[in-house]
Amino acid sequence: MEEQQSPPGTARRGPPRSPKGPPPLLRRWVRGPDGGDGPAGPPWRSTVALTLIVLAGSHVAGRSQAGRAPIDAFALVLLLAGCAALLIRRRHPVVAVFGASAAVMVYLGAGYPYGPVFLPVAVGCFSAVIAGYRRQAWCAVAMLWLGHLLVAHWLYRWLPPSGDSAAPWSQEVAVAAWAVAVVAVAELVRVRREQWAKERAGRAAAARRRAEQERLRIARELHDVLAHSISVINVQAGVGLALLDSDPEQARTALTTIKSASKEALGEVRQVLENLRTPGEAPRSPAPGLDRLPELVEQAASAGLTVETTTGGGRPALPPGTDLAAFRIVQEALTNVVRHSAARRARVAIGWEPGALVLCVDDDGPPSGGEAGGSGNGLIGMRERAAALGGSIEAGPLPSGGFRVTARLPLAGHSEETS
């Protein structure tokens, strides 16, 4: 028989299900809300130990209850059946609790003595509630209690042992209290397990968020470290190739610039990798900041871009994170000018507003219109850096045809030092 093919674009989830079996509503009732199986492997040891307790306790109880029917082969079969149902309580807890309840109800209806016969029902109810089948467990216990009520007060005339009388109502109160206690303890354990599961899930989610943030930070740092230097290398390589025959001296200068830029890029990449390998140790070299702005200007000049810098207002003492973010934002903005603009002149303005550092980088344009060769993540990385500090980035074209990037990084809570 040919296998039925899934429609195009439809992902198959797991093996195909057999068309036979209980309907969805019955499957949900028998196997729980998710219809899934519990852990495999029957609990042999605990079930055998419980069976021995039930058999021994029932024989002892039968000696002290002269008015009840003696333990015979049928009683042993019922006791063993109630305990054997617990072997499937891990995979099918609902079937286990209903099977144990049915066996106990037939046992009591046959007039056999009371005793530890209720233990299989308690264990089955506990397992079902812990597994999440609360209503099913309640119904199984309620079925047993109502069956006992019916047998002990109405059907006892026609059931063994002969000459039996109605049970006192105080006994029904005790049975009801026992049932409520079992369900209450199971519910308490279930709630506690759910709390533990939520705590574990919360810790796992927090760990995933930290790992994701760390991956983003690493990707952003490597992008910012490499993008500027690779852009300078790319421009100088083009210049060197174009002038290799006509102006060897100028080509030599371009190659020297490539060597210097690649060496600096390797040094910064090495610093990033060292910080990743030893996250608990202090970095061996300080992170770059705005004090290295002249280096950016020099590198941009080697790529044919003249950069004018202006600084206004009193300069506060910048925390390392803000200083690094400001440096990277200016670096990426200048890299974008080299990549995407035909301008040969750019301006970098650094200013301080009340509680904020303001960076402005613009160029005269126009856009180069060619393939820049970048990843397209430059502005995204700048915005992520600013957002991580509670700041913002505004970027867009100018009416004159150029492009401007403005960053505002908060400085609240930091003392000012006039330079």
Side-chain angles (χ1 to χ4, degrees), residues 330-366:
V330 174
Q331 184 183 49
E332 181 60 33
L334 293 178
T335 301
N336 288 340
V337 174
V338 174
R339 283 178 172 175
H340 304 288
S341 177
R344 297 297 89 196
R345 186 176 297 274
R347 289 165 295 276
V348 177
I350 303 175
W352 284 267
E353 294 180 352
L357 168 65
V358 181
L359 306 171
C360 182
V361 181
D362 59 23
D363 63 90
D364 298 329

mmCIF file of all heavy atoms in Angstrom, residues 330-366:
data_model
loop_
_atom_site.group_PDB
_atom_site.id
_atom_site.type_symbol
_atom_site.label_atom_id
_atom_site.label_comp_id
_atom_site.label_asym_id
_atom_site.label_seq_id
_atom_site.Cartn_x
_atom_site.Cartn_y
_atom_site.Cartn_z
ATOM 1 N N VAL A 330 31.089 55.751 16.337
ATOM 2 C CA VAL A 330 31.806 56.634 15.421
ATOM 3 C C VAL A 330 32.569 55.810 14.385
ATOM 4 O O VAL A 330 32.579 56.128 13.182
ATOM 5 C CB VAL A 330 32.767 57.551 16.202
ATOM 6 C CG1 VAL A 330 33.629 58.369 15.244
ATOM 7 C CG2 VAL A 330 31.982 58.479 17.129
ATOM 8 N N GLN A 331 33.189 54.720 14.824
ATOM 9 C CA GLN A 331 33.938 53.865 13.905
ATOM 10 C C GLN A 331 33.023 53.297 12.827
ATOM 11 O O GLN A 331 33.357 53.314 11.632
ATOM 12 C CB GLN A 331 34.588 52.728 14.695
ATOM 13 C CG GLN A 331 35.473 51.819 13.868
ATOM 14 C CD GLN A 331 36.020 50.670 14.698
ATOM 15 O OE1 GLN A 331 35.277 49.993 15.401
ATOM 16 N NE2 GLN A 331 37.328 50.471 14.625
ATOM 17 N N GLU A 332 31.861 52.792 13.222
ATOM 18 C CA GLU A 332 30.947 52.206 12.242
ATOM 19 C C GLU A 332 30.368 53.267 11.318
ATOM 20 O O GLU A 332 30.186 53.036 10.114
ATOM 21 C CB GLU A 332 29.814 51.471 12.971
ATOM 22 C CG GLU A 332 28.808 50.793 12.052
ATOM 23 C CD GLU A 332 29.463 49.745 11.164
ATOM 24 O OE1 GLU A 332 30.421 49.100 11.607
ATOM 25 O OE2 GLU A 332 28.992 49.578 10.012
ATOM 26 N N ALA A 333 30.081 54.456 11.848
ATOM 27 C CA ALA A 333 29.555 55.532 11.005
ATOM 28 C C ALA A 333 30.577 55.934 9.942
ATOM 29 O O ALA A 333 30.228 56.140 8.764
ATOM 30 C CB ALA A 333 29.171 56.734 11.868
ATOM 31 N N LEU A 334 31.852 56.063 10.320
ATOM 32 C CA LEU A 334 32.885 56.388 9.335
ATOM 33 C C LEU A 334 33.076 55.248 8.336
ATOM 34 O O LEU A 334 33.325 55.479 7.146
ATOM 35 C CB LEU A 334 34.200 56.695 10.049
ATOM 36 C CG LEU A 334 34.219 57.975 10.896
ATOM 37 C CD1 LEU A 334 35.561 58.136 11.594
ATOM 38 C CD2 LEU A 334 33.915 59.207 10.039
ATOM 39 N N THR A 335 32.968 54.019 8.803
ATOM 40 C CA THR A 335 33.063 52.873 7.890
ATOM 41 C C THR A 335 31.957 52.922 6.855
ATOM 42 O O THR A 335 32.181 52.644 5.664
ATOM 43 C CB THR A 335 32.984 51.565 8.694
ATOM 44 O OG1 THR A 335 34.046 51.524 9.638
ATOM 45 C CG2 THR A 335 33.083 50.359 7.778
ATOM 46 N N ASN A 336 30.755 53.293 7.267
ATOM 47 C CA ASN A 336 29.646 53.387 6.321
ATOM 48 C C ASN A 336 29.873 54.501 5.302
ATOM 49 O O ASN A 336 29.464 54.389 4.138
ATOM 50 C CB ASN A 336 28.332 53.614 7.071
ATOM 51 C CG ASN A 336 27.875 52.368 7.806
ATOM 52 O OD1 ASN A 336 28.303 51.264 7.496
ATOM 53 N ND2 ASN A 336 27.017 52.544 8.795
ATOM 54 N N VAL A 337 30.515 55.589 5.736
ATOM 55 C CA VAL A 337 30.830 56.654 4.783
ATOM 56 C C VAL A 337 31.799 56.132 3.719
ATOM 57 O O VAL A 337 31.628 56.366 2.515
ATOM 58 C CB VAL A 337 31.421 57.879 5.515
ATOM 59 C CG1 VAL A 337 31.873 58.930 4.504
ATOM 60 C CG2 VAL A 337 30.389 58.479 6.460
ATOM 61 N N VAL A 338 32.828 55.402 4.171
ATOM 62 C CA VAL A 338 33.802 54.858 3.215
ATOM 63 C C VAL A 338 33.132 53.879 2.269
ATOM 64 O O VAL A 338 33.420 53.853 1.063
ATOM 65 C CB VAL A 338 34.963 54.189 3.987
ATOM 66 C CG1 VAL A 338 35.910 53.483 3.026
ATOM 67 C CG2 VAL A 338 35.719 55.220 4.808
ATOM 68 N N ARG A 339 32.220 53.083 2.779
ATOM 69 C CA ARG A 339 31.601 52.045 1.955
ATOM 70 C C ARG A 339 30.527 52.583 1.024
ATOM 71 O O ARG A 339 30.460 52.200 -0.143
ATOM 72 C CB ARG A 339 30.953 50.983 2.858
ATOM 73 C CG ARG A 339 31.926 50.009 3.489
ATOM 74 C CD ARG A 339 31.149 49.065 4.368
ATOM 75 N NE ARG A 339 31.963 47.972 4.872
ATOM 76 C CZ ARG A 339 31.540 47.065 5.745
ATOM 77 N NH1 ARG A 339 30.308 47.158 6.230
ATOM 78 N NH2 ARG A 339 32.331 46.095 6.144
ATOM 79 N N HIS A 340 29.659 53.432 1.560
ATOM 80 C CA HIS A 340 28.417 53.745 0.864
ATOM 81 C C HIS A 340 28.359 55.145 0.268
ATOM 82 O O HIS A 340 27.375 55.464 -0.406
ATOM 83 C CB HIS A 340 27.232 53.588 1.826
ATOM 84 C CG HIS A 340 27.150 52.233 2.465
ATOM 85 N ND1 HIS A 340 26.781 51.106 1.773
ATOM 86 C CD2 HIS A 340 27.413 51.818 3.743
ATOM 87 C CE1 HIS A 340 26.803 50.066 2.580
ATOM 88 N NE2 HIS A 340 27.188 50.467 3.781
ATOM 89 N N SER A 341 29.334 55.983 0.539
ATOM 90 C CA SER A 341 29.245 57.367 0.081
ATOM 91 C C SER A 341 30.416 57.683 -0.849
ATOM 92 O O SER A 341 31.523 57.155 -0.704
ATOM 93 C CB SER A 341 29.260 58.325 1.284
ATOM 94 O OG SER A 341 29.250 59.666 0.847
ATOM 95 N N ALA A 342 30.122 58.575 -1.802
ATOM 96 C CA ALA A 342 31.176 59.081 -2.687
ATOM 97 C C ALA A 342 31.854 60.315 -2.112
ATOM 98 O O ALA A 342 32.747 60.885 -2.749
ATOM 99 C CB ALA A 342 30.582 59.404 -4.055
ATOM 100 N N ALA A 343 31.443 60.714 -0.914
ATOM 101 C CA ALA A 343 32.016 61.912 -0.296
ATOM 102 C C ALA A 343 33.465 61.668 0.091
ATOM 103 O O ALA A 343 33.854 60.551 0.455
ATOM 104 C CB ALA A 343 31.207 62.291 0.949
ATOM 105 N N ARG A 344 34.253 62.745 0.030
ATOM 106 C CA ARG A 344 35.648 62.683 0.457
ATOM 107 C C ARG A 344 35.872 63.452 1.744
ATOM 108 O O ARG A 344 37.014 63.615 2.174
ATOM 109 C CB ARG A 344 36.561 63.255 -0.640
ATOM 110 C CG ARG A 344 36.562 62.500 -1.951
ATOM 111 C CD ARG A 344 37.089 61.061 -1.753
ATOM 112 N NE ARG A 344 36.012 60.125 -1.408
ATOM 113 C CZ ARG A 344 36.232 58.926 -0.887
ATOM 114 N NH1 ARG A 344 37.461 58.540 -0.614
ATOM 115 N NH2 ARG A 344 35.220 58.140 -0.620
ATOM 116 N N ARG A 345 34.774 63.903 2.341
ATOM 117 C CA ARG A 345 34.888 64.673 3.575
ATOM 118 C C ARG A 345 33.740 64.284 4.500
ATOM 119 O O ARG A 345 32.597 64.143 4.061
ATOM 120 C CB ARG A 345 34.843 66.175 3.259
ATOM 121 C CG ARG A 345 35.092 67.073 4.477
ATOM 122 C CD ARG A 345 35.127 68.535 4.049
ATOM 123 N NE ARG A 345 36.244 68.760 3.136
ATOM 124 C CZ ARG A 345 37.486 69.031 3.519
ATOM 125 N NH1 ARG A 345 37.771 69.103 4.814
ATOM 126 N NH2 ARG A 345 38.439 69.224 2.632
ATOM 127 N N ALA A 346 34.070 64.108 5.785
ATOM 128 C CA ALA A 346 33.068 63.777 6.796
ATOM 129 C C ALA A 346 33.350 64.589 8.052
ATOM 130 O O ALA A 346 34.468 65.105 8.241
ATOM 131 C CB ALA A 346 33.080 62.289 7.115
ATOM 132 N N ARG A 347 32.348 64.699 8.892
ATOM 133 C CA ARG A 347 32.472 65.493 10.111
ATOM 134 C C ARG A 347 31.998 64.661 11.310
ATOM 135 O O ARG A 347 30.980 63.961 11.220
ATOM 136 C CB ARG A 347 31.629 66.769 10.010
ATOM 137 C CG ARG A 347 32.182 67.792 9.039
ATOM 138 C CD ARG A 347 31.163 68.857 8.689
ATOM 139 N NE ARG A 347 30.044 68.263 7.955
ATOM 140 C CZ ARG A 347 30.066 68.057 6.635
ATOM 141 N NH1 ARG A 347 31.144 68.369 5.916
ATOM 142 N NH2 ARG A 347 29.023 67.523 6.021
ATOM 143 N N VAL A 348 32.758 64.745 12.386
ATOM 144 C CA VAL A 348 32.420 64.080 13.646
ATOM 145 C C VAL A 348 32.311 65.149 14.716
ATOM 146 O O VAL A 348 33.282 65.873 14.977
ATOM 147 C CB VAL A 348 33.475 63.030 14.047
ATOM 148 C CG1 VAL A 348 33.117 62.417 15.399
ATOM 149 C CG2 VAL A 348 33.595 61.952 12.985
ATOM 150 N N ALA A 349 31.131 65.267 15.313
ATOM 151 C CA ALA A 349 30.887 66.257 16.368
ATOM 152 C C ALA A 349 30.540 65.517 17.654
ATOM 153 O O ALA A 349 29.675 64.642 17.661
ATOM 154 C CB ALA A 349 29.754 67.198 15.971
ATOM 155 N N ILE A 350 31.241 65.870 18.726
ATOM 156 C CA ILE A 350 31.015 65.266 20.042
ATOM 157 C C ILE A 350 30.562 66.371 20.979
ATOM 158 O O ILE A 350 31.264 67.387 21.163
ATOM 159 C CB ILE A 350 32.293 64.610 20.576
ATOM 160 C CG1 ILE A 350 32.810 63.552 19.586
ATOM 161 C CG2 ILE A 350 32.041 63.967 21.940
ATOM 162 C CD1 ILE A 350 34.138 62.945 19.986
ATOM 163 N N GLY A 351 29.386 66.193 21.551
ATOM 164 C CA GLY A 351 28.842 67.204 22.451
ATOM 165 C C GLY A 351 28.200 66.563 23.661
ATOM 166 O O GLY A 351 27.959 65.351 23.704
ATOM 167 N N TRP A 352 27.948 67.397 24.664
ATOM 168 C CA TRP A 352 27.354 66.913 25.898
ATOM 169 C C TRP A 352 26.125 67.746 26.224
ATOM 170 O O TRP A 352 26.185 68.974 26.307
ATOM 171 C CB TRP A 352 28.357 67.004 27.044
ATOM 172 C CG TRP A 352 29.393 65.931 26.976
ATOM 173 C CD1 TRP A 352 29.362 64.723 27.591
ATOM 174 C CD2 TRP A 352 30.613 65.957 26.239
ATOM 175 N NE1 TRP A 352 30.477 63.987 27.286
ATOM 176 C CE2 TRP A 352 31.270 64.728 26.451
ATOM 177 C CE3 TRP A 352 31.226 66.902 25.396
ATOM 178 C CZ2 TRP A 352 32.480 64.411 25.871
ATOM 179 C CZ3 TRP A 352 32.441 66.579 24.833
ATOM 180 C CH2 TRP A 352 33.062 65.352 25.055
ATOM 181 N N GLU A 353 25.021 67.062 26.343
ATOM 182 C CA GLU A 353 23.782 67.673 26.804
ATOM 183 C C GLU A 353 23.613 67.309 28.278
ATOM 184 O O GLU A 353 24.350 66.462 28.792
ATOM 185 C CB GLU A 353 22.602 67.153 25.979
ATOM 186 C CG GLU A 353 22.645 67.562 24.516
ATOM 187 C CD GLU A 353 21.455 67.017 23.747
ATOM 188 O OE1 GLU A 353 20.709 66.196 24.336
ATOM 189 O OE2 GLU A 353 21.293 67.388 22.574
ATOM 190 N N PRO A 354 22.660 67.922 28.969
ATOM 191 C CA PRO A 354 22.441 67.537 30.368
ATOM 192 C C PRO A 354 22.114 66.048 30.486
ATOM 193 O O PRO A 354 21.066 65.592 30.066
ATOM 194 C CB PRO A 354 21.246 68.403 30.793
ATOM 195 C CG PRO A 354 21.325 69.605 29.902
ATOM 196 C CD PRO A 354 21.853 69.095 28.589
ATOM 197 N N GLY A 355 23.059 65.298 31.032
ATOM 198 C CA GLY A 355 22.849 63.865 31.258
ATOM 199 C C GLY A 355 22.998 62.999 30.031
ATOM 200 O O GLY A 355 22.574 61.839 30.056
ATOM 201 N N ALA A 356 23.597 63.488 28.951
ATOM 202 C CA ALA A 356 23.703 62.671 27.739
ATOM 203 C C ALA A 356 24.924 63.072 26.935
ATOM 204 O O ALA A 356 25.317 64.250 26.898
ATOM 205 C CB ALA A 356 22.441 62.782 26.884
ATOM 206 N N LEU A 357 25.535 62.094 26.284
ATOM 207 C CA LEU A 357 26.602 62.299 25.313
ATOM 208 C C LEU A 357 25.981 62.228 23.929
ATOM 209 O O LEU A 357 25.229 61.294 23.614
ATOM 210 C CB LEU A 357 27.672 61.205 25.463
ATOM 211 C CG LEU A 357 28.711 61.090 24.345
ATOM 212 C CD1 LEU A 357 29.590 62.333 24.286
ATOM 213 C CD2 LEU A 357 29.559 59.837 24.543
ATOM 214 N N VAL A 358 26.269 63.231 23.101
ATOM 215 C CA VAL A 358 25.685 63.318 21.761
ATOM 216 C C VAL A 358 26.806 63.192 20.739
ATOM 217 O O VAL A 358 27.784 63.945 20.780
ATOM 218 C CB VAL A 358 24.907 64.633 21.560
ATOM 219 C CG1 VAL A 358 24.296 64.673 20.158
ATOM 220 C CG2 VAL A 358 23.822 64.771 22.618
ATOM 221 N N LEU A 359 26.666 62.246 19.828
ATOM 222 C CA LEU A 359 27.613 62.034 18.740
ATOM 223 C C LEU A 359 26.910 62.278 17.424
ATOM 224 O O LEU A 359 25.789 61.794 17.217
ATOM 225 C CB LEU A 359 28.159 60.596 18.771
ATOM 226 C CG LEU A 359 28.791 60.115 20.078
ATOM 227 C CD1 LEU A 359 29.062 58.629 20.016
ATOM 228 C CD2 LEU A 359 30.076 60.888 20.351
ATOM 229 N N CYS A 360 27.549 63.017 16.536
ATOM 230 C CA CYS A 360 26.966 63.302 15.225
ATOM 231 C C CYS A 360 28.039 63.084 14.168
ATOM 232 O O CYS A 360 29.112 63.693 14.229
ATOM 233 C CB CYS A 360 26.419 64.731 15.172
ATOM 234 S SG CYS A 360 25.629 65.138 13.595
ATOM 235 N N VAL A 361 27.750 62.207 13.219
ATOM 236 C CA VAL A 361 28.669 61.915 12.114
ATOM 237 C C VAL A 361 27.889 62.106 10.821
ATOM 238 O O VAL A 361 26.853 61.451 10.622
ATOM 239 C CB VAL A 361 29.221 60.480 12.198
ATOM 240 C CG1 VAL A 361 30.191 60.210 11.058
ATOM 241 C CG2 VAL A 361 29.885 60.236 13.547
ATOM 242 N N ASP A 362 28.369 63.001 9.948
ATOM 243 C CA ASP A 362 27.696 63.201 8.666
ATOM 244 C C ASP A 362 28.725 63.394 7.559
ATOM 245 O O ASP A 362 29.921 63.584 7.817
ATOM 246 C CB ASP A 362 26.724 64.374 8.732
ATOM 247 C CG ASP A 362 27.401 65.679 9.103
ATOM 248 O OD1 ASP A 362 28.616 65.808 8.891
ATOM 249 O OD2 ASP A 362 26.719 66.579 9.619
ATOM 250 N N ASP A 363 28.233 63.299 6.338
ATOM 251 C CA ASP A 363 29.090 63.471 5.167
ATOM 252 C C ASP A 363 28.335 64.275 4.126
ATOM 253 O O ASP A 363 27.123 64.495 4.253
ATOM 254 C CB ASP A 363 29.513 62.106 4.596
ATOM 255 C CG ASP A 363 28.323 61.303 4.093
ATOM 256 O OD1 ASP A 363 27.976 61.447 2.906
ATOM 257 O OD2 ASP A 363 27.742 60.535 4.894
ATOM 258 N N ASP A 364 29.061 64.692 3.083
ATOM 259 C CA ASP A 364 28.463 65.542 2.056
ATOM 260 C C ASP A 364 27.753 64.754 0.974
ATOM 261 O O ASP A 364 27.004 65.340 0.195
ATOM 262 C CB ASP A 364 29.556 66.417 1.407
ATOM 263 C CG ASP A 364 30.208 67.344 2.418
ATOM 264 O OD1 ASP A 364 29.498 67.756 3.373
ATOM 265 O OD2 ASP A 364 31.409 67.632 2.289
ATOM 266 N N GLY A 365 28.003 63.426 0.891
ATOM 267 C CA GLY A 365 27.364 62.632 -0.142
ATOM 268 C C GLY A 365 27.975 62.911 -1.503
ATOM 269 O O GLY A 365 29.019 63.569 -1.615
ATOM 270 N N PRO A 366 27.352 62.440 -2.554
ATOM 271 C CA PRO A 366 26.130 61.624 -2.580
ATOM 272 C C PRO A 366 26.448 60.164 -2.352
ATOM 273 O O PRO A 366 27.613 59.795 -2.276
ATOM 274 C CB PRO A 366 25.607 61.853 -3.990
ATOM 275 C CG PRO A 366 26.856 62.027 -4.800
ATOM 276 C CD PRO A 366 27.832 62.774 -3.909
#
